[in-house]
Amino acid sequence: MVFTISVPIATVSLVSPNGLQQWPAGASRKILFTSANVANVKLEVSTNDGGSWSTIAASFPAASGSFDWTVPAALGNGYRVRVSNAVDALVNDASDQSFAVVAPLVGHDFDALFFSDSPTATVYDASFTSVS
């Protein structure tokens, strides 16, 4: 008789921000990730293309799949996020490319937004709002 012991493989994968985004400083954005066989994840941010990392959350439930993050105030182009197994840092994934933290849009700096990631591209004019 042969017994086989199978150990589940822990994985994590960063979904967003995965690169090339432009997130406004001070805005609330979701860090999105997936995981398997991981109880808690550690979230980190780099401002220098992954040269060094600072902790966003040391241990956060992996099952949630997202973390509400306040984008830092410091503007820059070298931001990356990394997600890792909170108990095994070798199980990790980071942004494939850098993303930018930009100055927030205010006033009339934006009049129309173009959504190109939908099956049919549409334009939304932010100046038209309903009044109750």
Side-chain angles (χ1 to χ4, degrees):
M1 184 178 285
V2 176
F3 290 96
T4 303
I5 298 175
S6 178
V7 177
I9 297 173
T11 62
V12 294
S13 180
L14 182 69
V15 176
S16 178
N18 207 27
L20 305 179
Q21 291 89 349
Q22 292 188 0
W23 284 2
S28 178
R29 291 291 184 264
K30 286 193 181 291
I31 297 173
L32 303 175
F33 54 89
T34 61
S35 65
N37 303 308
V38 173
N40 293 300
V41 294
K42 179 179 182 179
L43 297 167
E44 298 167 287
V45 63
S46 172
T47 60
N48 57 5
D49 289 313
S52 60
W53 298 92
S54 299
T55 300
I56 297 171
S59 185
F60 188 77
S64 68
S66 69
F67 180 84
D68 292 324
W69 182 48
T70 301
V71 179
L75 307 182
N77 294 319
Y79 279 84
R80 291 181 189 240
V81 168
R82 179 168 64 186
V83 59
S84 59
N85 185 339
V87 296
D88 183 1
L90 296 177
V91 177
N92 70 72
D93 188 33
S95 304
D96 290 340
Q97 296 183 53
S98 296
F99 65 95
V101 172
V102 298
L105 298 176
V106 293
H108 296 287
D109 288 346
F110 58 97
D111 288 328
L113 302 174
F114 179 72
F115 296 97
S116 62
D117 55 350
S118 64
T120 56
T122 59
V123 174
Y124 171 71
D125 186 343
S127 66
F128 291 94
T129 58
S130 64
V131 177
S132 304

